[in-house]
Amino acid sequence: MMDVDLPQKRRRGGQPKVDPDMVLGSAEALRRQFAYAWPSLGKRLLAANSAAEVWEIVKSGKGIISNSDMAFSELLFEVLREPTFPRFRTKSQLTFLADSLGASGVVTPRRSRDICSAQRRKVRHMIVRQDFYIECTCGYEGPAKFGKCPKCKTGELSDELRRRELES
Ligand SMILES: [Zn+2]
């Protein structure tokens, strides 16, 4: 189980800055924990009537929801009682809980959920081809294609280049 840091203070007024990647990372770690804990603790958590009761249930899991304390239970109880908490689908409930708690109470559960969904929508770009500019004895000058000359297909380096490659 991954540990999730839980700073206890929530500031009033403006929302403090949090690292969106960390919020989503924590939410994903929490989601795995909740998914694992749900068969044994889920029903009781959903039926809990106070933060103290949530705390007792979390403790009874003996670390199944790790690194938790009373502040975490208070936050958890608050989220369980939100009017928009999904009532039926377990999958939606776990995501809602994890995303709400991802920011560990540093920002509101609502803001934490917004951060998580914005992060999930982000398209991550990556380099899928990395080529160099080449001059080949066949006359071609331009970018290599997957390390080779696109005109004559050679991948062989001249003696001088090979020597330089060895030296570097
Ligand atoms: Zn060539």
Side-chain angles (χ1 to χ4, degrees):
M1 289 285 138
M2 282 175 69
D3 280 350
V4 176
D5 285 331
L6 293 167
Q8 264 82 61
K9 290 206 179 102
R10 189 191 300 174
R11 283 179 233 159
R12 287 173 189 281
Q15 302 257 351
K17 281 231 186 312
V18 285
D19 180 344
D21 279 328
M22 282 183 63
V23 173
L24 184 60
S26 297
E28 279 168 358
L30 274 169
R31 201 189 181 289
R32 286 191 292 274
Q33 290 186 16
F34 281 124
Y36 192 64
W38 219 242
S40 54
L41 307 181
K43 269 205 178 116
R44 287 157 66 208
L45 282 173
L46 290 172
N49 287 309
S50 69
E53 209 178 309
V54 167
W55 182 213
E56 289 308 315
I57 296 161
V58 168
K59 273 196 291 187
S60 77
K62 296 184 169 64
I64 199 169
I65 300 171
S66 73
N67 199 19
S68 316
D69 53 17
M70 188 60 202
F72 174 88
S73 298
E74 277 168 9
L75 197 59
L76 179 51
F77 181 60
E78 195 182 309
V79 173
L80 286 165
R81 283 169 54 114
E82 278 197 51
T84 51
F85 186 81
R87 261 187 276 177
F88 304 110
R89 290 178 63 226
T90 303
K91 209 181 152 195
S92 313
Q93 292 175 333
L94 297 180
T95 303
F96 191 94
L97 278 177
D99 286 6
S100 300
L101 298 165
S104 315
V106 177
V107 295
T108 61
R110 171 71 208 266
R111 174 90 188 102
S112 183
R113 291 195 295 276
D114 288 348
I115 291 170
C116 288
S117 50
Q119 281 301 101
R120 288 200 185 93
R121 278 197 306 272
K122 258 194 202 169
V123 179
R124 285 163 197 265
H125 291 288
M126 61 186 111
I127 293 163
V128 291
R129 207 179 121 186
Q130 181 177 246
D131 285 328
F132 310 93
Y133 183 91
I134 59 165
E135 287 178 30
C136 184
T137 50
C138 77
Y140 177 83
E141 278 186 36
K145 195 169 182 188
F146 298 110
K148 293 186 171 177
C149 170
K151 191 179 163 200
C152 72
K153 316 290 185 222
T154 186
E156 208 182 318
L157 300 175
S158 71
D159 287 346
E160 197 195 334
L161 283 182
R162 237 177 303 165
R163 187 168 45 77
R164 278 204 237 164
E165 206 158 70
L166 288 172
E167 281 165 5
S168 67

